[in-house]
Amino acid sequence: QVQLVESGGGLVQPGGSLRLSCAASGLTLYYYAVGWFRQAPGKEREGISCISVNGGRTDYADSVKGRFTISRDNAKNTVYLQMNSLKPEDTAVYYCASTLTYDSTCSPIRYGYWGQGTQVTVSS
């Protein structure tokens, strides 16, 4: 069964950091571009970052640019999202997903396999 599993979420104070992981099974992540997305209560799902198959290209939403970094370790079949300088506005459920076709806009419509999400809460 193809499965993506997010982990690393939790409760942090503003200005803090978290590193999210997206671990894949049932597929070789090497062949896929991967995106990170988030959805806050009452909001649409937002593409925040994505990375190309070979890791040579990364893109970020303006809301996270300069604070978040996406990376991949194909040997571990895992993609990461390092989140620094977290703000209360970053509070959301964070999802990873994979696609065979990279889209620099990180639009969620392009992605097929999805994880179940991990909660990130930024609050004092």
Side-chain angles (χ1 to χ4, degrees):
Q1 184 71 38
V2 175
Q3 187 174 7
L4 300 177
V5 179
E6 302 93 340
S7 62
L11 174 64
V12 296
Q13 294 184 330
S17 298
L18 286 172
R19 190 175 78 154
L20 305 184
S21 298
C22 174
S25 62
L27 60 82
T28 301
L29 207 57
Y30 171 85
Y31 297 106
Y32 295 85
V34 176
W36 281 99
F37 310 83
R38 67 187 182 187
Q39 189 165 20
K43 303 291 186 179
E44 294 184 358
R45 187 167 298 186
E46 173 191 15
I48 57 172
S49 185
C50 46
I51 188 167
S52 62
V53 171
N54 63 7
R57 183 175 179 177
T58 58
D59 290 281
Y60 300 89
D62 289 342
S63 59
V64 306
K65 193 173 299 181
R67 299 188 297 120
F68 292 10
T69 303
I70 190 170
S71 62
R72 65 189 303 155
D73 186 341
N74 288 331
K76 295 182 177 180
N77 224 25
T78 301
V79 171
Y80 304 96
L81 185 68
Q82 179 67 46
M83 305 187 296
N84 298 325
S85 302
L86 284 162
K87 305 174 181 179
E89 307 92 89
D90 296 318
T91 296
V93 177
Y94 283 70
Y95 301 88
C96 66
S98 62
T99 180
L100 289 171
T101 304
Y102 186 73
D103 176 9
S104 63
T105 69
C106 307
S107 173
I109 195 67
R110 304 290 186 181
Y111 288 77
Y113 296 111
W114 289 81
Q116 294 299 307
T118 184
Q119 177 71 45
V120 172
T121 302
V122 185
S123 180
S124 299

